[in-house]
Amino acid sequence: MNHAPQVTFEIQAECPITRARAGVLHTAHGDIETPVFMPVGTQATVKGLSQRDLAEDLDVRILLGNTYHLYLRPGHELIQRLGGLHRFMSWPRAILTDSGGFQVFSLSGIRKITEQGVVFHSHLNGDPHTFTPESTVDVQLAFGSDILMALDECPEYPVSHEYARQAMRRTVRWARAGYAHYAQRMAGMETRHALFPIVQGSMYADLRRECCAELVNLDADGYAIGGLSVGEPRPLSLEMVEAAEPLLPRHRPRYAMGVGMPDELAEYVARGVDMMDCVLPSRNARNGYLFTSEGRVIIKHARYKEDPGPLDPNCPCYTCRTYSRAYLRHLFQAGEILYASLATRHNLQRYLDIMRRMRHAILLGEFPKYLDSVRSASAQLE
Ligand SMILES: [Zn+2]
């Protein structure tokens, strides 16, 4: 594929022992220090947080939006008419959108997979729709995303080797078709938009390797590893990253989709992952499950009823600086809206802090030490 890079990746330090790297991803909407965690803004919002919370308080540099949801409502054409997703949601920094494939496979009703794409029914009203490798590129270009994802088939877990192979081969063909269309659309376009293909292959290392070997021919600006966190045991997800990573070009960012718990982030980074996203910090926050530097806090527990201390004494976030555990518990029990906002703000801060700490450790050449401390801390909690 012959086109100018749409995002560029600069490696600043590499761990001499693990595969961890620290770098900067340059996009049309700003620079992003890696490894990076991308909060999920499913419906063009990180639930409960304003643009000011995200950009000014938390200093988030890149958000993830879900193509499936935004395509169905309010629709990509409406978003385009209103100036694209950045302007629509008043977000001046980078946006990555997924291809919609994952939600089609996990959320929508009856669906039919053909060589051309996937036919599905909206979970909102049952209307039939089709995503093709070409149409998902068009939808994401209408959003104006900085990073687009190629349409992929994400099989459930477990599946047979034979089915996983068919789905992986289809994903490769779709990536090629999507790329050809993308190259045409980009010719003469003045704004910058990268397209990342997605490595699939279920939990079979040979298929993951085969998929990488095909996808690197696209010479993409970055590569995603998908099909993780679909119910498989955690060691398997890490094994799949290990299978893929050595085959991916060193100077392009790698994005592990949909991972993980706080103590898993270092495991992915140790395996050469630069970008991650997950709904856990925001979803768990709303459900009363908070991540702190001292382990998890289930805020509804009676032990916090009269606890005047901060949620996490080591956390610099607005929630921890301002409110007590007792007050947060009260808000949660009362079903108050403010609870979701304060809790999400804290959980995201926790994830972002972990990423910053890892980046710092890689730059100082101390990542192996950091990894050891995370491993022994999580072993103690178990
Ligand atoms: Zn906090």
Side-chain angles (χ1 to χ4, degrees):
M1 195 67 45
N2 260 327
H3 65 81
Q6 304 291 303
V7 297
T8 53
F9 185 55
E10 177 194 340
I11 295 177
Q12 295 173 310
E14 287 176 294
C15 175
I17 295 169
T18 71
R19 310 289 293 171
R21 327 87 78 75
V24 180
L25 183 63
H26 302 280
T27 77
H29 288 91
D31 292 347
I32 300 149
E33 294 182 335
T34 67
V36 65
F37 178 81
M38 304 181 284
V40 181
T42 302
Q43 311 271 11
T45 166
V46 176
K47 293 185 201 313
L49 298 189
S50 69
Q51 191 260 85
R52 191 164 62 184
D53 299 329
L54 290 162
E56 291 176 25
D57 275 15
L58 295 168
D59 197 19
V60 168
R61 303 291 181 87
I62 179 168
L63 282 183
L64 190 143
N66 284 127
T67 291
Y68 171 87
H69 290 286
L70 297 173
Y71 161 83
L72 290 178
R73 181 181 60 194
H76 59 294
E77 284 160 348
L78 180 144
I79 289 175
Q80 186 171 35
R81 285 195 298 275
L82 292 174
L85 193 50
H86 291 88
R87 186 173 298 174
F88 181 56
M89 63 186 287
S90 199
W91 178 250
R93 299 183 174 180
I95 295 176
L96 178 150
T97 44
D98 62 8
S99 69
F102 183 79
Q103 271 78 26
V104 165
F105 289 102
S106 60
L107 273 187
S108 75
I110 313 151
R111 60 198 184 229
K112 189 164 160 260
I113 303 164
T114 69
E115 190 55 31
Q116 282 67 46
V118 51
V119 183
F120 62 96
H121 290 265
S122 159
H123 74 291
L124 297 174
N125 59 13
D127 283 355
H129 294 272
T130 304
F131 275 163
T132 69
E134 295 84 4
S135 77
T136 53
V137 166
D138 289 336
V139 169
Q140 294 176 83
L141 285 177
F143 294 152
S145 309
D146 298 282
I147 302 175
L148 291 64
M149 290 290 139
L151 184 66
D152 62 328
E153 181 180 347
C154 179
E156 55 197 15
Y157 174 81
V159 285
S160 69
H161 189 277
E162 181 48 34
Y163 188 81
R165 185 170 184 283
Q166 284 174 26
M168 181 275 284
R169 298 298 317 175
R170 189 157 34 236
T171 293
V172 169
R173 290 192 297 273
W174 284 355
R176 285 189 196 128
Y179 253 80
H181 182 70
Y182 162 77
Q184 277 178 357
R185 290 286 325 266
M186 290 306 290
M189 196 177 284
E190 305 218 328
T191 46
R192 285 157 56 202
H193 315 274
L195 175 62
F196 288 11
I198 304 175
V199 177
Q200 288 288 353
S202 188
M203 301 305 147
Y204 301 103
D206 63 321
L207 299 182
R208 291 277 174 179
R209 284 192 290 266
E210 188 182 332
C211 193
C212 287
E214 296 284 355
L215 293 181
V216 294
N217 293 324
L218 296 170
D219 192 23
D221 289 336
Y223 292 84
I225 303 174
L228 305 173
S229 295
V230 289
E232 77 279 12
R234 199 52 61 208
L236 257 188
S237 351
L238 294 174
E239 247 178 70
M240 293 306 108
V241 175
E242 283 168 26
E245 188 269 341
L247 294 164
L248 297 175
R250 175 173 163 266
H251 282 284
R252 304 287 158 85
R254 295 83 172 259
Y255 163 30
M257 306 179 81
V259 298
M261 288 289 277
D263 57 354
E264 291 165 357
L265 301 174
E267 298 294 345
Y268 286 98
V269 168
R271 287 162 177 81
V273 167
D274 308 296
M275 306 163 72
M276 288 178 267
D277 78 284
C278 192
V279 292
L280 275 180
S282 38
R283 181 180 292 164
N284 283 10
R286 298 195 299 278
N287 294 331
Y289 191 117
L290 300 163
F291 300 112
T292 79
S293 61
E294 298 168 333
R296 68 173 182 196
V297 166
I298 313 288
I299 199 67
K300 73 175 178 199
H301 281 175
R303 79 176 80 143
Y304 304 122
K305 194 173 175 184
E306 295 193 36
D307 188 337
L311 173 56
D312 183 343
N314 303 311
C315 179
C317 87
Y318 170 75
T319 304
C320 293
R321 286 198 323 267
T322 316
Y323 298 103
S324 67
R325 288 176 166 184
Y327 183 64
L328 290 172
R329 179 178 185 275
H330 160 70
L331 293 179
F332 179 76
Q333 296 294 81
E336 282 295 328
I337 295 172
L338 180 61
Y339 167 78
S341 164
L342 294 176
T344 304
R345 197 190 287 233
H346 165 78
N347 268 3
L348 280 180
Q349 175 84 52
R350 175 77 189 134
Y351 268 64
L352 298 170
D353 274 356
I354 292 172
M355 302 312 288
R356 285 183 196 121
R357 230 162 265 208
M358 287 197 280
R359 178 176 156 79
H360 192 61
I362 299 166
L363 290 171
L364 292 178
E366 291 174 353
F367 185 74
K369 203 167 83 186
Y370 175 88
L371 184 62
D372 280 348
S373 71
V374 171
R375 283 177 178 164
S376 60
S378 71
Q380 272 173 13
L381 287 174
E382 273 161 16

